[in-house]
Amino acid sequence: NWKVFYFYSQTANHTLGYGMNQFVIDHMSAEGTQAVIDNWEKAMDSDPELKSLYEQNGGSIFGDSFELRSSLWTPKMLEEFKTRRGYDLTPYLPAINNDLGSVGDRVRDDLYTTMTELMSENHMGALQTWAKTHNMTVRYQAYSSAGSSMFELTYPALNIDIVEAESYAMSGTVPDSYRQLSGIVHMKKDSIYSAEAAEIGQDDWRETWTDTQLKSGGDRRHMGLMYYANRLFAGGVNKLVFHGSTYKFSDTENTYFPVTQTWPGYSAMSALSYGNEWDDKTPMWENVDIMTDALARYQMVLQQGQGDVDLAVYRSLYGKGNVRSQMTDIEKAGYTYDYVTPTVLNLENAVVGEQDGQIVLAADGPSYKALVIEPMNDGTVPPMPLDTAKKILAAAEAGLPVV
C-alpha cells in the first residue's frame, strides 16, 4: 500500500489585522527583515531632526511577541536545512505533519531547530546590527503567544540585547513562567531582564495597584498591578514595562477600532478591552508616583551584581512550555531555579567550577549548585542533543550533582 504526499509553498498572505493591510514579513529570511530596515531608514532619513533625537536618546527598538502560526516556510529552507543539519529534508517532508515514529520526531526537531536559527540570525540578529548603527539596542519578546510555536525560546536571546517576557501571554500569575527565560539571561550575564507587565484582557480601566474589579462582577482582588510585579520579581525579572498607553485618539475616521467618545475618552487599548491607561483619567493617578517610586527602588537593587541561583532545571521545548499554575515543590523546599536548555548549556561559561569550596555550574555566573533533568509527562528523560548529553555526563563526572 502506498500513500502519496504532495507539497507546495506559497505566500501566507498574512496581514497585521485590525483593519491594517500591511503584510507580515518572512521572519526567517534576511530579505524580509531588510525590507523592514529599508522602510525604517527611509522614514528616518525623511526627518533628520527626529533621526538625530532617536540617536541621541539611544534606547531600544522593541519587538512584541511574534504571533506566527503553523505551516511556516521560507524560500531557502531546503538549502539552509541541508547546510545546517547535514542531510536533505526533501525525502522526509511527510514527517513534518505526520507521526512517523522516532524518525518523525528527529526530523521535526531538526526542522524546528533550523527555523529557530534562521529567525534568530536573519531577523533578530539583523535588527540588532542595524540598531547599533543608530546608537540603539534591541528589546524583544522572542516567542509567539498565538498558541503552539515551532521556535525554541532561548536561542533567539543570543541575538537580543534585552530579553523580554510578558504577563499576559506567559500565564503570568506564577513565577515559574518567567523562569523559561531567566536561565539564558543569567548565563549571558545580562543586567536587564524586562517584562511587559500586568496586562489583562477584557477589563480595561479596572485594574488598580491592589485589585481588579471584573466587569463580570466576579471578585479577583489579588490580581492588581503589585500582584504581578511581585511574581515577576520572584521569577527573575528586574525591569517592569507596564502595559498600556498614555495617548488618546481624536481622529478615528479611518481606524478599525470602535469609536467611543464618552468619558474617559477614546484610547486604543480600551478599544481592544486591554488594560491599562496611564493618565489622569485613571482614579489612582494622583498617587501613582508612590508606587512607581517604590518599584523603581526595587528594580535598582535587583539590577545590581550577578544573579545567584540554586538549581538549573533542564528542559527542551519549543514555544512557551508547560508552566506550573501553583508554587512548585522546589520552591516550597526553599530553592531558587532557572530553566536551562541545550542553548544555555552550550554557552562557553556553562562549565563546572568551584565556588566557596562547592562544585557548581557556571561559577562566574549564576553558580548552579545542581542540575535537575525535568522528566517528560511519562516519566522518561527528555530528548536532548548528543553534545548536550555528553556535557551533562562530563559535569556529573566532575562532581556536579545531576538529578
Side-chain angles (χ1 to χ4, degrees), residues 200 203 206-208 210-214 218 220-221 223-224:
I200 58 173
D203 284 290
R206 292 173 177 268
E207 189 176 21
T208 70
T210 55
D211 67 1
T212 301
Q213 298 293 333
L214 303 186
R220 193 173 65 182
R221 292 183 176 276
M223 295 292 190

Side-chain angles (χ1 to χ4, degrees), residues 195 326 354 382 392:
Q326 304 292 332
E354 187 174 316
I392 292 175

